Amino acid sequence: MKATQGIQPPSLACAVRDLLNAELLLGAALVKAVSRAAPREACCEVPDPCWLPRRLGTCSFELRPGGIATIRLLIENCDWTRRTFRASGTGELADAMGFQPATLVLGPQEQGSIVVELKLPDTVHKSEELSGGVVLFGCNTHFLGVRVRVSDKAPACESEVLIEDCPDYVHHWYDHFYCVRGCQHADGKLAGD
């Protein structure tokens, strides 16, 4: 038998290696192209875990010592069952907050309001900054941040916050097995009742 000279056919291992390298290079190029084309905000965003209160934002006020700010929580019961709502204060401002009414009962699809009156003590100092929040318990737990800057020339302040308290029956891909579907307080009672 005569030996042939020239190019030897590649081994199977070399062929598989070259194929995998080509796929890796193609995948890296696709990822690079997609990351350039789509801004970060366009990607899916995972919300806060189910056990955290739903954030309502922050109300910021400028008040003088002894000044009063009013926050009206406009609450909508999106559920088809009667629901009890209760608000409480947190942080440095908890003792300065009063709630009228302290507990609100809303029927199915009904709306109502709880007025939060924030009265600063006369002993606070000018340029002092205080923070706290309002926690609303209903079908879900909601949190509204409150910040106050103490000033000599500040008038009384009012603010309104709309809260749609709706059950969530959708099971998302990012949900955990311990997330309660529907309402966190499904029996209509609040924790500690």
Side-chain angles (χ1 to χ4, degrees):
M1 222 160 133
K2 190 174 177 185
T4 58
Q5 293 190 4
I7 300 174
Q8 296 289 325
S11 69
L12 181 59
C14 290
V16 169
R17 182 198 66 212
D18 291 344
L19 181 62
L20 289 175
N21 282 339
E23 288 177 0
L24 287 173
L25 290 172
L26 177 62
L30 283 172
V31 167
K32 197 175 200 180
V34 168
S35 66
R36 273 193 225 134
R40 275 195 147 345
E41 298 84 34
C43 294
C44 27
E45 196 169 306
V46 178
D48 289 335
C50 60
W51 62 87
L52 286 178
R54 296 179 181 191
R55 291 201 49 85
L56 299 171
T58 302
C59 284
S60 297
F61 300 105
E62 194 168 311
L63 295 172
R64 64 175 146 244
I68 296 174
T70 304
I71 305 169
R72 183 177 299 277
L73 304 176
L74 304 171
I75 305 163
E76 180 180 347
N77 177 16
C78 304
D79 205 353
W80 289 102
T81 61
R82 184 178 160 150
R83 184 82 43 214
T84 302
F85 295 89
R86 183 176 63 210
S88 66
T90 65
E92 298 173 298
L93 297 169
D95 293 337
M97 291 183 193
F99 301 91
Q100 188 59 35
T103 302
L104 176 67
V105 178
L106 295 176
Q109 305 298 310
E110 201 171 48
Q111 297 176 348
S113 63
I114 295 177
V115 176
V116 182
E117 185 178 86
L118 172 64
K119 184 176 186 321
L120 281 185
D122 294 326
T123 57
V124 293
H125 302 290
K126 186 176 137 186
S127 300
E128 194 173 342
E129 293 190 14
L130 305 168
S131 64
V134 176
V135 180
L136 178 72
F137 299 95
C139 172
N140 300 289
T141 305
H142 303 271
F143 179 79
L144 174 68
V146 180
R147 295 199 177 172
V148 176
R149 186 171 168 265
V150 183
S151 170
D152 283 339
K153 301 177 182 178
C157 301
E158 288 191 24
S159 186
E160 284 188 351
V161 178
L162 175 63
I163 303 167
E164 294 176 335
D165 192 55
C166 307
D168 179 11
Y169 295 110
V170 179
H171 190 83
H172 305 280
W173 64 268
Y174 48 76
D175 285 331
H176 302 282
F177 65 91
Y178 42 78
C179 285
V180 178
R181 301 278 29 104
C183 290
Q184 291 177 355
H185 312 286
D187 58 1
K189 294 183 180 177
L190 304 173
D193 282 355

